[in-house]
Amino acid sequence: RKEVEQDPGPFNVPEGATVAFNCTYSNSASQSFFWYRQDCRKEPKLLMSVYSSGNEDGRFTAQLNRASQYISLLIRDSKLSDSATYLCVVNMRNSGYSTLTFGKGTMLLVSP
Amino acid sequence: ETGVTQSPTHLIKTRGQQVTLRCSSQSGHNTVSWYQQALGQGPQFIFQYYREEENGRGNFPPRFSGLQFPNYSSELNVNALELDDSALYLCASSRGGEQYFGPGTRLTVT
């Protein structure tokens, strides 16, 4: 089983649609959780952190369920500029260092 | 911009050759992590350097090695290149918190 698994893509949606991405992680010792956005041939950039209480940033809402080891990202009112690959990321602390473990990513294509 | 720079941006090498990739950290960041991102995959952790010492390593063979310098810049060295080493190599700097990624070096091995 992969450490971080995401919905296979791509997701093709029209502008204005609501889209949800799902992610599961296998290691219950994982400590912190993130969604990163990666544009084509660019580096990943932090979109938002994910907390158990849920958090919202404008049109983006992230949720974490530690019991189910499940993370989600909801994008409302999709814009053309939201087209990108969304990476689910888990941060684990090992002995003396922490590492980011990335999912494979889910591509989102927003069309006019 | 994150303030993390990498060089070169693109590189083409032949199987069996050696390559060195470079990363300059964001000012004040004492930790550098390196990742390999193959086409269609998420980044995979290679190793991490903290204050010039390797303090963590992912599932990569010893031909992947690194260095960190007193100014916290870093190098990734790969010996005996294989075709499967073709990927985007990302470095990320941090100071105990969020990791900031550089733009990456795209390595093609032919």
Side-chain angles (χ1 to χ4, degrees), chain A residues 38 41 43 96-98 103-104, chain B residues 37 40 42 48 55 98 102 106:
Chain A
Q38 187 171 26
R41 305 184 76 81
E43 73 274 22
Y97 70 99
S98 62
K104 197 173 174 180
Chain B
Q37 186 174 21
Q48 183 179 96
N55 73 334
E98 180 183 342
R106 189 163 298 278

Side-chain angles (χ1 to χ4, degrees), chain A residues 2 36 38 41-46 87 91 95-105, chain B residues 2 10 35 37 40-45 48 55-57 88 90 98-99 101-103 106:
Chain A
K2 291 185 179 177
Y36 275 71
Q38 187 171 26
R41 305 184 76 81
K42 299 282 191 178
E43 73 274 22
K45 293 186 178 176
L46 179 64
L87 296 158
N91 189 355
S95 52
Y97 70 99
S98 62
T99 60
L100 297 180
T101 301
F102 288 78
K104 197 173 174 180
Chain B
T2 63
H10 297 85
Y35 295 83
Q37 186 174 21
Q41 303 294 319
Q44 300 291 310
F45 174 70
Q48 183 179 96
N55 73 334
R57 189 177 184 92
L88 179 67
L90 296 158
E98 180 183 342
Q99 294 190 20
F101 284 86
R106 189 163 298 278

